[in-house]
Amino acid sequence: MKVISQIKLPVEKEMELFEKKFFESMSSKVALLNRITHYIVNRKGKQMRPMFVFLVAKMVSGGTVNERTYRGASVIELIHTATLVHDDVVDDSNRRRGFFSINALWKNKIAVLVGDYLLSKGLLLSIDNNDFDLLKIISVAVREMSEGELLQIEKARRLDITEAVYYDIIRQKTATLIAACCSLGAASVKPDSKDMTTMRRFGELIGMAFQIKDDLFDYGEAKIGKPTGIDIKEQKMTLPLIYVLNNCSGKEKSWLINSVKRYNKDKKRVKEVIEFVRTKGGLKYAEEKMTEFQQEALLLLKDYPQSIYRDSLELMVNYVIERKK
C-alpha cells in the first residue's frame, strides 16, 4: 500500500465526505467559474492539508469529528487553492502538478479573480457559521504567507540572508499553513484548548522539515517534476547555500554570490554551484536540520495516547522527509 493511502486509512470516510462538501463549497451561479472550479477539483493533489485537519481532530478528541471539522478542512483547502492559483500568476508558471495552470488556460486576469473568489468563499464559509475562532487561525496564516513571500523577494534582491532569516521565511511561507491545519483540527473539536497550541507547533515543525526537503530536491538527481538548480536560477537563498556561504573563504563567497547574481541563467555555472554546495557539506547540514525539526515534531505526538490517528501522523512526519518528490 502506498504511504499516502496508509496515512489516509483512519480518516478515509471523512475524506470522501469532505470531497463532496469541498466541491459544494466552491459552487457559483457563474458558468465560467464552475467550469474552472471543476477543473481544479479534478486535478487535486495528495490533499495532505485536509488529512492533517481530520487526523489531528480525531487524535485529540479520541476519534470524533464534527461539522466544524469539515468546514475547517474546506476553508483550509479553499484558501490553499487560492494561494496556488495566485502563485502561478506571480511566478508566470504554466504548469501545476503536471497539468496546465489556471492562468495558462484562462489567462492572468481570470486566474487572479478566481483566486479572489476562492479566498472570499473560504472566509464566508467561516463567517456564515460563526466559526470566528477558525477564521482567526486561517487569517493569521494568510497574512504570514504573504509576508513570507515578500520577505523572500526582498532578501533575494540583496542576497544578504542569514540562517535565522531563512527560518523566518520558511516558517511564514510554508510552515504557517500546515500549522493552521493542525491547530484548526484541534480547535474544531476542542475549542480554546492547550491542544490547539501544541498542534500548531507540531504543524510548524513539519512545515519547516517539509520546506528544507523541498530545498534539497534542488540539488538532487531525482526526477521530481522540477528541474534541479531552479532555486539558484530564481536567486532563492536556501539552507544548503546559506550554510556554505557562511562557511567558505572570502574568495569562494564572492564567486558564489557572483554566480547567483550574474550567472544564475548559465547552466554550466549553476551545475558548478550545485557541486560546490555539495562538496562543502551544505546538503549534509540541511539534512541534519531537517531531521531535528522532524524529531521535535515526533516528540510532541508522544504526549498523546497511542491510537491509529497518532500512528498516521507519525507516518506523515516521516513521509515528509523520506518522500522522493
Side-chain angles (χ1 to χ4, degrees):
M1 190 188 283
K2 275 188 169 174
V3 181
I4 294 294
S5 308
Q6 216 176 325
I7 293 167
K8 204 181 197 173
L9 214 52
V11 290
E12 209 158 22
K13 283 197 187 86
E14 286 81 3
M15 289 297 289
E16 275 175 29
L17 185 53
F18 157 75
E19 284 194 22
K20 289 193 188 83
K21 287 176 182 282
F22 177 56
F23 187 58
E24 283 164 16
S25 69
M26 279 185 165
S27 68
S28 151
K29 292 188 178 78
V30 180
L32 173 63
L33 249 176
N34 284 337
R35 206 156 65 238
I36 296 170
T37 54
H38 190 73
Y39 179 80
I40 291 169
V41 168
N42 285 342
R43 278 145 196 81
K44 61 181 183 294
K46 298 185 190 84
Q47 292 189 308
M48 307 279 271
R49 287 155 194 84
M51 256 189 272
F52 271 122
V53 175
F54 289 116
L55 285 169
V56 167
K58 292 191 104 172
M59 180 182 75
V60 304
S61 70
T64 57
V65 295
N66 54 33
E67 277 305 313
R68 268 164 59 86
T69 318
Y70 285 102
R71 287 197 297 270
S74 292
V75 171
I76 280 278
E77 201 63 353
L78 281 164
I79 288 183
H80 173 59
T81 309
T83 60
L84 293 183
V85 172
H86 281 165
D87 277 353
D88 287 338
V89 174
V90 171
D91 297 338
D92 203 11
S93 172
N94 289 327
R95 312 286 287 187
R96 166 71 60 185
R97 299 186 187 119
F99 297 99
F100 283 115
S101 58
I102 303 300
N103 48 304
L105 292 172
W106 285 280
K107 302 289 180 278
N108 284 348
K109 191 175 181 178
I110 288 176
V112 170
L113 293 169
V114 168
D116 291 346
Y117 172 77
L118 295 173
L119 202 58
S120 67
K121 273 288 198 183
L123 301 177
L124 283 167
L125 187 58
S126 295
I127 293 165
D128 290 346
N129 293 284
N130 293 323
D131 296 328
F132 296 109
D133 55 338
L134 305 186
L135 182 59
K136 187 176 181 183
I137 293 169
I138 306 278
S139 302
V140 168
V142 174
R143 183 198 69 203
E144 291 203 327
M145 283 156 69
S146 313
E147 283 178 352
E149 285 287 356
L150 288 164
L151 180 60
Q152 186 171 48
I153 291 167
E154 179 196 330
K155 292 296 175 185
R157 284 180 178 158
R158 296 210 297 270
L159 300 186
D160 63 345
I161 187 168
T162 61
E163 197 171 320
V165 170
Y166 166 79
Y167 291 135
D168 270 349
I169 290 171
I170 68 168
R171 185 184 55 75
Q172 291 182 304
K173 208 183 81 150
T174 305
T176 193
L177 193 63
I178 299 175
C181 294
C182 297
S183 178
L184 202 133
S188 72
V189 287
K190 289 174 83 176
D192 302 317
S193 62
K194 182 176 142 289
D195 296 303
M196 286 167 59
T197 316
T198 309
M199 285 296 102
R200 179 178 171 77
R201 178 64 183 151
F202 168 74
E204 197 172 86
L205 290 163
I206 297 179
M208 304 285 273
F210 182 92
Q211 187 57 55
I212 295 173
K213 179 69 174 178
D214 247 24
D215 295 345
L216 283 163
F217 282 140
D218 205 49
Y219 292 86
E221 298 298 328
K223 295 275 176 282
I224 54 157
K226 165 182 155 178
T228 52
I230 205 98
D231 289 338
I232 296 164
K233 288 187 186 87
E234 291 175 3
Q235 299 184 331
K236 280 181 187 165
M237 303 289 280
T238 59
L239 191 55
L241 186 60
I242 293 162
Y243 171 79
V244 172
L245 276 170
N246 294 330
N247 290 278
C248 62
S249 68
K251 193 180 172 190
E252 288 168 330
K253 189 173 180 173
S254 57
W255 174 80
L256 261 182
I257 288 176
N258 199 27
S259 301
V260 177
K261 265 191 171 168
R262 293 188 179 83
Y263 298 96
N264 56 315
K265 301 281 192 284
D266 178 337
K267 279 183 184 170
K268 185 171 170 286
R269 187 73 164 253
V270 168
K271 264 189 177 165
E272 285 168 13
V273 169
I274 289 173
E275 202 41 54
F276 183 73
V277 169
R278 264 195 200 149
T279 53
K280 283 287 182 181
L283 305 196
K284 187 172 175 286
Y285 180 78
E287 275 164 14
E288 283 165 8
K289 285 291 171 190
M290 174 179 76
T291 307
E292 278 175 31
F293 287 123
Q294 176 230 15
Q295 290 302 318
E296 204 185 320
L298 286 173
L299 215 55
L300 287 176
L301 289 178
K302 296 284 178 258
D303 293 341
Y304 292 91
Q306 202 281 321
S307 68
I308 50 171
Y309 315 114
R310 196 185 92 175
D311 290 347
S312 267
L313 285 166
E314 283 175 359
L315 206 57
M316 183 89 96
V317 176
N318 294 326
Y319 168 75
V320 157
I321 73 162
E322 287 162 10
R323 67 201 164 99
K324 298 287 182 275
K325 61 178 182 177

